[in-house]
Amino acid sequence: MLRAERGVSRRQLAEALGVHYQTVGYLERGEYSPSLYLALKLAEYFEVPLEVVFSTKPFPRLGA
């Protein structure tokens, strides 16, 4: 959601984080749990607290 709101492509985000663009897709679909380092890099990139990006409880689906 943050990526889409800010008009950042998966490829742009992946390059900024130093990961493959498919990794961003896996993260967005909940198919991949990032390392703590990657989670912190994501929060730093979007300038938000870690809890805004990740939670132990599932986020509601967009449009739900």
Side-chain angles (χ1 to χ4, degrees):
M1 188 168 65
L2 285 169
R3 183 183 62 75
E5 283 178 354
R6 298 183 187 195
V8 178
S9 72
R10 283 185 181 161
R11 203 170 290 274
Q12 289 170 319
L13 180 56
E15 288 175 8
L17 299 174
V19 298
H20 193 275
Y21 75 93
Q22 287 180 327
T23 302
V24 174
Y26 295 142
L27 287 167
E28 292 178 344
R29 291 188 302 273
E31 297 173 2
Y32 174 73
S33 295
S35 66
L36 179 58
Y37 179 73
L38 181 54
L40 291 169
K41 283 179 69 170
L42 270 164
E44 181 179 22
Y45 178 84
F46 288 114
E47 298 177 332
V48 296
L50 188 61
E51 295 83 11
V52 171
V53 184
F54 295 98
S55 173
T56 56
K57 298 176 185 169
F59 290 109
R61 287 204 160 266
L62 293 176

